[in-house]
Amino acid sequence: MQTDRPYREAAPYYHARPPYSSALLPALAERLGWDGTGRLLDLGCGPGVLARQLAPGFATVVGLDAEEAMLDEARAATAGAGDRFSWVQAYAEDLPALGLGAFQAVSLGQSFHWMDREVVARHVRDALIPCGAMVLVHHDRPSFDTPQGLPTPPPAPPIPHDEIWALVDSRLGPRNPAFAAPEPYADLLLRMGFTRVQRLLLPGRTDLLVTSDHVIDTYLSTSFAAPDRFGDALPEFRAEVTALLRRHSPDDRFLEWPGDTEVILGISG
Ligand SMILES: C[S@@+](CC[C@H](N)C(=O)[O-])C[C@H]1O[C@@H](n2cnc3c(N)ncnc32)[C@H](O)[C@@H]1O
């Protein structure tokens, strides 16, 4: 039974999260020889954002997540895709017991930090075929950072994240400190027996224009500001943030900058 479910209520809002670099699949397919024939496993897949983006490089894709509500979103998004996708509710730490077989690649999009990283890296290494790749994907800057590298003049004002977080904090109290700085992922992967580790930085999307509703949904998609944390005050919070955003952009358009997409690759021996 799942007792701690930080993403249960956030799942329906996850669609508002900004996408990864559109260069992700072509860059990885070329470097790693993905030709549409192998198998991909996506750990901590959420609603399948990364699994679906990488899917054209593989014959079949397995997405695994601890949170059933996230998998419901993934299933709905791939309902018309036949049996190319399968979605499994489990903890990544339990991978060997699941009998999922061997994979050409195992990806993790913004999910590795939630896991017992040493245990999961070892399981991933064992699940990969020779020369297979563990693929860690993140926005290089947190989604809530200041815009950089954007078109000038910008087509719309940036999202005033500092002011929105101040409103979140005033209602929910101080956030948990960021996850403790782990051992750099590259060092961990080498220690766990991956033979080569590489880092890629792929250009982030600079063309994302969003509305205030979309901005608020992005916040509600996070574990810190998931809807259940606001209880009955959720409509009030929504109204408060909408008013703040309208002051910044009366025509309700904002430029979102998720940052470049960082990829750490661990190649198995
Ligand atoms: C921030 S979301 C990332 C979703 C998606 N991979 C992406 O790239 O946007 C993190 C996901 O990891 C899942 N998760 C956290 N700990 C997990 C674990 N130990 N095993 C499997 N999934 C886990 C959460 O349920 C959540 O769906």
Side-chain angles (χ1 to χ4, degrees):
M1 191 180 70
Q2 288 172 257
T3 47
D4 183 16
R5 299 181 61 178
Y7 281 105
R8 179 174 47 190
E9 306 296 327
Y13 297 93
Y14 208 87
H15 64 89
R17 291 276 187 112
Y20 299 120
S21 169
S22 39
L24 190 58
L25 176 60
L28 293 177
E30 190 192 334
R31 185 172 289 251
L32 299 168
W34 296 347
D35 61 2
T37 60
R39 300 178 75 221
L40 170 71
L41 172 64
D42 189 43
L43 292 178
C45 63
V49 180
L50 180 60
R52 286 183 278 132
Q53 186 172 357
L54 300 183
F58 299 89
T60 56
V61 176
V62 179
L64 177 151
D65 201 281
E67 176 48 64
E68 192 60 50
M70 284 291 203
L71 296 169
D72 286 344
E73 299 290 321
R75 289 188 190 102
T78 53
D83 54 6
R84 263 173 56 66
F85 291 91
S86 45
W87 305 105
V88 177
Q89 192 275 319
Y91 285 90
E93 289 81 352
D94 297 333
L95 187 59
L98 304 174
L100 296 176
F103 295 89
Q104 184 176 5
V106 178
S107 55
L108 296 99
Q110 301 180 87
S111 56
F112 195 41
H113 60 288
W114 283 100
M115 299 171 183
D116 182 329
R117 290 175 286 271
E118 194 167 310
V119 166
V120 171
R122 188 178 311 118
H123 293 338
V124 169
R125 183 200 63 200
D126 294 345
L128 286 169
I129 61 171
C131 300
M134 180 170 183
V135 183
L136 299 172
V137 179
H138 302 89
H139 294 294
D140 178 44
R141 304 182 163 277
S143 316
F144 304 114
D145 209 341
T146 334
Q148 289 190 10
L150 292 171
T152 43
I159 301 166
H161 286 301
D162 290 348
E163 292 177 56
I164 303 175
W165 275 122
L167 291 181
V168 172
D169 292 348
S170 72
R171 288 186 173 272
L172 301 182
R175 269 167 278 156
N176 289 335
F179 288 89
E183 176 183 9
Y185 289 170
D187 295 352
L188 173 72
L189 297 192
L190 286 171
R191 192 161 60 75
M192 298 318 295
F194 287 85
T195 51
R196 267 181 305 137
V197 175
Q198 301 167 349
R199 175 177 184 265
L200 309 181
L201 197 59
L202 301 169
R205 295 276 299 262
T206 55
D207 58 348
L208 302 173
L209 287 174
V210 296
T211 63
S212 49
D213 276 342
H214 189 105
V215 172
I216 296 167
D217 284 357
T218 309
Y219 277 79
L220 299 179
S221 80
T222 65
S223 58
F224 330 100
D228 51 327
R229 301 211 54 216
F230 292 94
D232 294 343
L234 182 58
E236 237 173 73
F237 169 72
R238 217 175 171 116
E240 197 175 22
V241 180
T242 303
L244 163 72
L245 291 173
R246 287 298 159 90
R247 288 199 292 280
H248 280 265
S249 176
D251 63 353
D252 196 25
R253 270 161 36 105
F254 295 88
L255 184 61
E256 175 159 43
W257 164 239
D260 291 328
T261 299
E262 180 187 54
V263 183
I264 310 276
L265 294 176
I267 312 295
S268 70

